């Protein structure tokens, strides 16, 4: 039942195909609806090609919502058919669509390069160009309004020139242009988007806008760079002053290493040469005599034996472990 409801809804929605500027085409279904089934699109050209499945699906929230066709897959002036299959819970329902003529589904891009020229004292000429490759197949509509009008005026134009015969120099005008395929190349109501607007006029509003733009120009190109330079200069002055203050509060301790570079690099550590002492002064402090070397050695001492006293009886002059003998006169 749920799948049947989906299929019935799809029949009511239909499949909408749009050929964008003859560059690519999209066929979508279920626009603005919540899709839950799994959809597949098959297409074919009548009496020309077999049925083929879409090669490039469009997705939204994990569900297929359309198909994109590249330029090589598009054939105009041939009846075009599509079929969408909706599958859910192992069941498949086919949702056919009506026969389509792709030349009637072309939507051109919006016109570009809108230009206004003053042709006379009170006449303007608006020109533009179109990205659509077949300019002769287009018709256009110009939409314009002044700042004092309450509604837009529209004018159909066959070519790419629009003449505005009566202008008021006290008004400020806005112009738009859009295009669609004419009846000679197709039958469609698909208009392009409106172009980027173009403006003309010089009233108080436009003067105010011009003055505002001029003010912003001076602010961005003059005032901001000057203010930045002044701020940078103030920062530099403050840094210089702070450096001087720090030097006064915390003076730098000199490094003595550089003062002794000549002593060790140039003079190889010769202090006398480094301080500049004359050689004759250095020679005067050297001794001019020589002394002979005297060798001193200690001989071992042998105590004398006293034959008068018997062994084991100490003599009168024995002290401690050493003995001294004296001979009287």
């Amino acid at each position: 039942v749920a799948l049947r409801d989906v299929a019935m809804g799809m029949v009511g929605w239909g499949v909408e195909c749009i050929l964008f500027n003859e560059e690519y085409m999209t066929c979508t279904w279920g626009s603005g609806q919540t899709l839950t089934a799994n959809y597949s699109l098959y297409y074919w050209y009548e009496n020309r090609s077999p049925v083929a499945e879409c090669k490039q699906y469009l997705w939204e929230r994990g569900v297929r919502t359309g198909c994109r066709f590249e330029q090589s897959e598009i054939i105009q002036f041939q009846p075009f058919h599509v079929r969408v299959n909706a599958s859910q819970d192992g069941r498949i329902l086919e949702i056919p669509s009506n026969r389509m003529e792709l030349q009637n589904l072309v939507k051109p891009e919006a016109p570009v390069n809108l230009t206004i020229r003053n042709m006379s004292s009170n006449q303007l000429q608006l020109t533009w160009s179109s990205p659509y490759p077949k300019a002769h197949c287009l018709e256009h509509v110009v939409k314009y309004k002044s700042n004092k009008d309450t509604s837009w005026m529209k004018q159909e134009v066959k070519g790419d020139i629009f003449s505005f015969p009566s202008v008021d120099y006290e008004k400020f005008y806005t112009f738009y242009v859009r295009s669609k395929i004419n009846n000679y190349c197709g039958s469609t109501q698909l208009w392009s988007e409106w172009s980027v607007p173009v403006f003309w006029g010089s009233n108080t509003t436009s003067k105010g806008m011009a003055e505002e733009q001029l003010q912003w120009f001076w602010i961005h190109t003059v005032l901001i760079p000057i203010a930045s330079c002044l701020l940078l200069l103030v920062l530099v002055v403050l840094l210089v002053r702070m450096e001087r203050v720090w030097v006064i509060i915390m003076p730098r301790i000199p490094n003595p290493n550089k003062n002794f570079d000549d002593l060790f690099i140039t003079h190889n550590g010769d202090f006398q040469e480094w301080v500049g002492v004359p050689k004759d002064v250095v020679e005067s402090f050297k001794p001019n005599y020589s002394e002979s070397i005297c060798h001193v050695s200690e001989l071992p001492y042998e105590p004398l034996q006293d034959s008068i006293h018997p062994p084991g009886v100490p003599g009168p002059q024995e002290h401690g472990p050493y003995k001294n003998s004296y001979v009287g006169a």
Side-chain angles (χ1 to χ4, degrees):
V1 176
L3 184 60
R4 184 177 300 276
D5 293 339
V6 171
M8 293 299 296
M10 285 292 297
V11 171
W13 298 335
V15 179
E16 182 182 11
C17 296
I18 299 177
L19 180 55
F20 292 94
N21 213 53
E22 296 192 8
E23 296 177 357
Y24 68 95
M25 181 175 67
T26 61
C27 293
T28 58
W29 54 84
S31 177
Q33 303 293 328
T34 301
L35 303 179
T36 57
N38 184 24
Y39 302 93
S40 300
L41 182 141
Y42 298 88
Y43 69 97
W44 66 96
Y45 291 94
E46 191 172 308
N47 301 323
R48 186 177 179 89
S49 62
V51 178
E53 185 179 359
C54 172
K55 300 177 182 178
Q56 189 175 355
Y57 282 104
L58 303 177
W59 297 78
E60 183 177 348
R61 298 179 182 179
V63 179
R64 294 172 177 174
T65 59
C67 178
R68 176 188 172 104
F69 297 85
E70 299 300 333
Q71 191 175 32
S72 59
E73 302 174 281
I74 300 171
I75 304 175
Q76 295 191 47
F77 301 99
Q78 292 290 333
F80 180 71
H81 297 268
V82 297
R83 183 184 74 243
V84 176
N85 290 353
S87 62
Q88 191 176 39
D89 298 330
R91 294 180 299 167
I92 299 177
L93 287 180
E94 295 184 357
I95 307 170
S97 68
N98 297 328
R99 166 179 162 174
M100 304 180 192
E101 299 288 343
L102 298 186
Q103 68 273 10
N104 299 332
L105 303 176
V106 178
K107 180 178 180 179
E109 288 189 17
V112 295
N113 300 327
L114 272 68
T115 305
I116 295 179
R117 296 182 177 89
N118 293 325
M119 303 304 295
S120 63
S121 59
N122 61 348
Q123 184 178 4
L124 299 178
Q125 186 181 78
L126 174 65
T127 60
W128 60 88
S129 59
S130 176
Y132 185 67
K134 303 174 183 177
H136 63 279
C137 288
L138 294 178
E139 62 182 60
H140 314 277
V141 168
V142 176
K143 180 175 72 171
Y144 62 92
K145 184 181 74 169
S146 73
N147 59 326
K148 296 182 180 181
D149 296 330
T150 58
S151 60
W152 291 94
M153 301 294 293
K154 294 182 180 180
Q155 180 68 45
E156 295 185 0
V157 181
K158 296 300 181 180
D160 54 1
I161 298 176
F162 172 70
S163 296
F164 192 55
S166 57
V167 296
D168 189 344
Y169 282 86
E170 294 182 357
K171 294 181 181 180
F172 183 72
Y173 294 89
T174 303
F175 296 88
Y176 291 89
V177 182
R178 69 176 182 177
S179 309
K180 82 175 184 68
I181 303 299
N182 57 33
N183 294 330
Y184 298 101
C185 299
S187 177
T188 179
Q189 296 300 319
L190 294 175
W191 286 91
S192 71
E193 303 298 330
W194 288 106
S195 66
V196 176
V198 64
F199 308 98
W200 183 92
S202 58
N203 63 348
T204 56
T205 304
S206 62
K207 289 181 180 179
M209 293 175 59
E211 291 177 357
E212 184 179 356
Q213 293 178 355
L214 184 61
Q215 291 177 358
W216 279 108
F217 172 80
W218 279 102
I219 290 174
H220 285 282
T221 60
V222 178
L223 294 181
I224 292 179
I226 291 177
S228 301
C229 293
L230 290 177
L231 179 61
L232 181 61
L233 181 60
V234 171
L235 291 176
V236 170
V237 172
L238 290 177
L239 289 175
V240 171
R241 287 183 174 272
M242 289 298 296
E243 185 177 2
R244 291 181 179 178
V245 172
W246 278 108
V247 168
I248 295 173
I249 297 176
M250 300 180 64
R252 297 177 181 176
I253 301 174
N255 188 0
N257 291 336
K258 296 183 178 180
N259 297 331
F260 295 97
D261 288 344
D262 292 342
L263 173 62
F264 296 100
I265 297 176
T266 306
H267 302 284
N268 296 322
D270 191 340
F271 180 79
Q272 295 176 353
E273 183 179 352
W274 178 64
V275 298
V277 178
K279 291 185 178 181
D280 55 350
V281 176
V282 176
E283 294 295 335
S284 64
F285 283 97
K286 293 183 179 180
N288 55 1
Y289 60 92
S290 61
E291 295 181 354
S292 59
I293 300 175
C294 178
H295 298 277
V296 179
S297 62
E298 183 180 358
L299 297 177
Y301 174 77
E302 293 291 340
L304 298 176
Q305 298 290 332
D306 191 355
S307 58
I308 300 175
H309 302 281
V313 181
Q317 301 295 331
E318 293 182 1
H319 300 281
Y322 299 97
K323 300 176 182 181
N324 296 326
S325 298
Y326 299 91
V327 179

